[in-house]
Amino acid sequence: MIGEREAFDVLVIGSGPGGYVAAIRAAQLGLRTGCVERESLGGICLNWGCIPTKALLKSAEVLEYAHRAREFGVIVEGVRADFPAIIKRSRDIADKISKGVGFLFRKNKIDHIAGTAKLLPREQAWKPHRVQVGDQVIEAKHVIVATGARARSLPGIELDGERVIEYRKAMSLAAQPKTMIILGAGAIGVEFASFYKTLGTEVTIVEFLPRLVPNEDAEVSRELAKAFEKRGIKLLVGHKLASAKREGDRVRMEAEPAAGGARVPLEADILLVAVGVAPNTEGLGLEAHGVKLERGFIQTDAENRCGDGLWAIGDVIGRGLAHVASAEGVFVAEMIAGVHAEPLRYDAIPACTYCHPEIASIGLTEDKAKAQNLP
């Protein structure tokens, strides 16, 4: 157990792609480093996000190729999806990579502290920060908040974990649903739509904004809509959820055009809510340090500072991409160590969405470029 008077140079709260990379870089630069994690090492991305979803999508891709094998001069008969085996493979991969983060921590002599962290009020401005984890009080000169985010819902929708679910449950269902409604057409929504449709589930997407993947270029959205409709995915864009209610083993809901009009009745085995994320800032003790929040997200300066000796990176400040969090983790660790730190170019971030067809982008969309009066 770490004693009260024993201090770290850097204590990272959260071990996702931002947190564990920040911890490793800090340790490489000779700083005594600890990392607090309340769940599994690797955070949401490695355990319930980027990695396991790509494993699911790879299985779907293999199934798709098997169905099209004759196009390649290969005869494959009796092809079908083994849904439990697909889910198990995804979970096994996530577990393996999570253990890999533990190996990296041991290799770099990083203390892994299991539990939930809370920043305590600072005794004096010149003293180290104190962080409570269970019955321990840990001191650190610098604290990096990398607590990430979680799926959010909408008013009137209760996530019951059985018929009305979020992304974690969508990648660990016991049985494949025959029908699914997906609320939200961002990256999470369209990736799960692509996965489940390939396996044979009838999928309907409901999106409040007038197009799929609204953060992408408008032309990309149009091409994706064409491809999805060709595959038989039903699209209700420009619609908002009016009501959703579980009735036995079904979910009944109504979608209403955003511009007004007649409601559309919908029914499915599963309603997957994929309408964005909420930051994990509750209970962290941030208020005692004057940390500013906006819609729950931590506000930082251009160098990721949110207070004296306090830093924040990744989803908890609203960035939303794993590789951005990792780059921010390296940047902050190097700032703390006093070595050259290369600032991020937020106007040139590469992004991918692994639906079928896949989407890749970097930099500004055409609309954003026009809004900045760029030629």
Side-chain angles (χ1 to χ4, degrees):
M1 179 178 288
I2 297 171
E4 170 114 19
R5 288 173 295 178
E6 194 168 2
F8 289 104
D9 296 313
V10 178
L11 185 69
V12 184
I13 304 177
S15 70
Y20 86 77
V21 170
I24 290 171
R25 186 64 182 133
Q28 288 173 341
L29 292 168
L31 301 173
R32 179 149 191 248
T33 306
C35 183
V36 183
E37 174 55 60
R38 65 183 181 184
E39 293 189 33
S40 300
L41 290 177
I44 291 297
C45 179
L46 269 64
N47 292 282
W48 296 102
C50 327
I51 301 303
T53 53
K54 303 313 165 283
L56 294 175
L57 288 159
K58 184 62 181 180
S59 292
E61 181 186 45
V62 172
L63 180 65
E64 177 76 15
Y65 273 121
H67 284 311
R68 295 174 49 204
R70 283 185 180 273
E71 296 177 24
F72 301 92
V74 178
I75 298 174
V76 179
E77 297 177 348
V79 176
R80 61 185 179 86
D82 183 344
F83 187 78
I86 290 173
I87 296 297
K88 183 180 184 302
R89 174 180 180 271
S90 171
R91 300 311 315 147
D92 288 348
I93 289 171
D95 291 343
K96 182 178 180 180
I97 295 181
S98 178
K99 290 174 182 173
V101 175
F103 167 78
L104 291 174
F105 274 17
R106 292 188 296 273
K107 178 182 177 183
N108 288 280
K109 297 181 173 57
I110 297 165
D111 285 60
H112 169 210
I113 304 147
T116 300
K118 180 179 180 179
L119 280 157
L120 299 176
R122 210 166 186 179
E123 294 175 328
Q124 280 94 28
W126 53 271
K127 284 197 170 185
H129 285 287
R130 296 182 304 142
V131 179
Q132 184 173 348
V133 184
D135 59 358
Q136 304 178 73
V137 175
I138 303 162
E139 293 186 346
K141 296 176 185 176
H142 296 269
V143 175
I144 302 174
V145 180
T147 50
R150 63 189 183 277
R152 70 178 181 91
S153 188
L154 293 175
I157 304 180
E158 182 182 350
L159 299 170
D160 63 16
E162 294 178 355
R163 297 292 166 182
V164 184
I165 65 174
E166 40 81 47
Y167 60 82
R168 283 198 186 203
K169 195 65 180 179
M171 63 182 73
S172 58
L173 289 171
Q176 179 186 345
K178 292 182 179 178
T179 54
M180 175 181 282
I181 296 166
I182 298 176
L183 186 62
I188 292 173
V190 298
E191 285 187 2
F192 276 113
S194 198
F195 168 70
Y196 276 102
K197 181 59 182 177
T198 301
L199 267 59
T201 298
E202 289 302 313
V203 176
T204 300
I205 297 177
V206 179
E207 167 59 48
F208 177 72
L209 294 174
R211 57 191 178 91
L212 302 180
V213 287
N215 289 330
E216 299 290 347
D217 195 273
E219 283 186 77
V220 171
S221 295
R222 286 195 294 271
E223 291 302 317
L224 184 63
K226 288 179 188 177
F228 270 21
E229 287 175 334
K230 186 176 181 180
R231 294 176 61 191
I233 298 173
K234 299 173 185 175
L235 307 178
L236 271 178
V237 295
H239 282 69
K240 61 182 178 180
L241 182 71
S243 66
K245 184 179 180 181
R246 176 175 174 175
E247 295 183 6
D249 291 338
R250 303 284 286 172
V251 181
R252 299 183 192 278
M253 60 179 281
E254 289 184 323
E256 181 181 323
R263 292 184 175 183
V264 180
L266 299 167
E267 184 179 343
D269 296 328
I270 294 288
L271 170 61
L272 169 58
V273 180
V275 292
V277 296
N280 294 322
T281 49
E282 300 91 346
L284 275 173
L286 299 173
E287 59 281 351
H289 298 267
V291 175
K292 296 179 181 178
L293 303 179
E294 185 175 320
R295 295 180 297 110
F297 293 94
I298 294 175
Q299 301 299 292
T300 66
D301 64 14
E303 295 178 340
N304 289 81
R305 288 187 181 88
C306 59
D308 181 24
L310 291 177
W311 313 72
I313 58 176
D315 282 2
V316 78
I317 63 173
R319 296 302 185 199
L321 290 171
H323 51 286
V324 174
S326 296
E328 288 174 339
V330 170
F331 173 75
V332 167
E334 291 176 346
M335 288 290 295
I336 292 170
V339 301
H340 174 72
E342 191 68 34
L344 274 69
R345 283 277 311 274
Y346 289 106
D347 61 343
I349 299 295
C352 294
T353 303
Y354 293 85
C355 51
H356 181 71
E358 294 176 348
I359 299 168
S361 61
I362 186 168
L364 301 173
T365 63
E366 185 177 349
D367 288 342
K368 287 180 180 178
K370 287 179 178 177
Q372 294 183 25
N373 296 316
L374 297 175

